[in-house]
Amino acid sequence: MLDLLAALLTEQAGAAPVSLVLQAQSYIDTHLSDPDLCPDSVAAALPISTRYLQKLFAEQGTGVASWIRTQRLEQWRRDLPRPELTRPVSAVGAAWGLPDAAHFSRAFKAAYGLSPREFRAQALS
């Protein structure tokens, strides 16, 4: 009986890390607009340690904070040129978890080479 249990746990342990990464990514996608979203909050939601979560993401070639930032950048890039969204540029950043307009602008420009306003103007022209 113990051998069977050990075999089962060993088999599940191989799939568990991938499953946890997918669960973490799903949690991140669902909570992307939360300005308090961070590796600690993701780990607490799973529940696993932050260190273990970081290890799992590192095995995938990225970091938890980097994944969050990349997902937010993609949302910002998608929302900025949408003509039906008449909200200010800073509101786009805030909608996806970064209420600090200056930080949002710097992060966006570092990623895409244009300020959010420049990106929006270029995309809408």
Side-chain angles (χ1 to χ4, degrees):
M1 183 73 133
L2 288 176
D3 287 340
L4 179 60
L5 181 58
L8 180 62
L9 289 174
T10 302
E11 180 181 312
Q12 289 180 348
V18 173
S19 175
L20 283 172
V21 170
L22 292 174
Q23 288 175 24
Q25 290 171 339
S26 176
Y27 181 86
I28 290 167
D29 288 345
T30 304
H31 294 86
L32 208 52
S33 63
D34 180 357
D36 294 326
L37 182 65
C38 65
D40 290 337
S41 64
V42 176
L46 289 182
I48 58 175
S49 73
T50 302
R51 183 177 174 150
Y52 184 56
L53 179 66
Q54 290 169 336
K55 179 182 179 238
L56 293 174
F57 270 75
E59 290 171 358
Q60 304 297 315
T62 190
V64 183
S66 177
W67 180 267
I68 293 169
R69 183 176 42 256
T70 300
Q71 298 310 303
R72 284 182 170 156
L73 283 164
E74 283 300 308
Q75 290 299 330
W76 298 334
R77 188 184 61 76
R78 284 187 208 126
D79 279 1
L80 279 169
R82 292 176 54 196
E84 71 274 13
L85 295 178
T86 57
R87 59 186 173 197
V89 167
S90 61
V92 173
W96 293 108
L98 195 55
D100 181 335
H103 189 163
F104 163 58
S105 185
R106 284 191 302 273
F108 191 90
K109 188 168 186 170
Y112 298 111
L114 298 169
S115 74
R117 279 186 177 75
E118 292 167 335
F119 182 84
R120 177 182 267 177
Q122 186 178 28
L124 293 175
S125 65

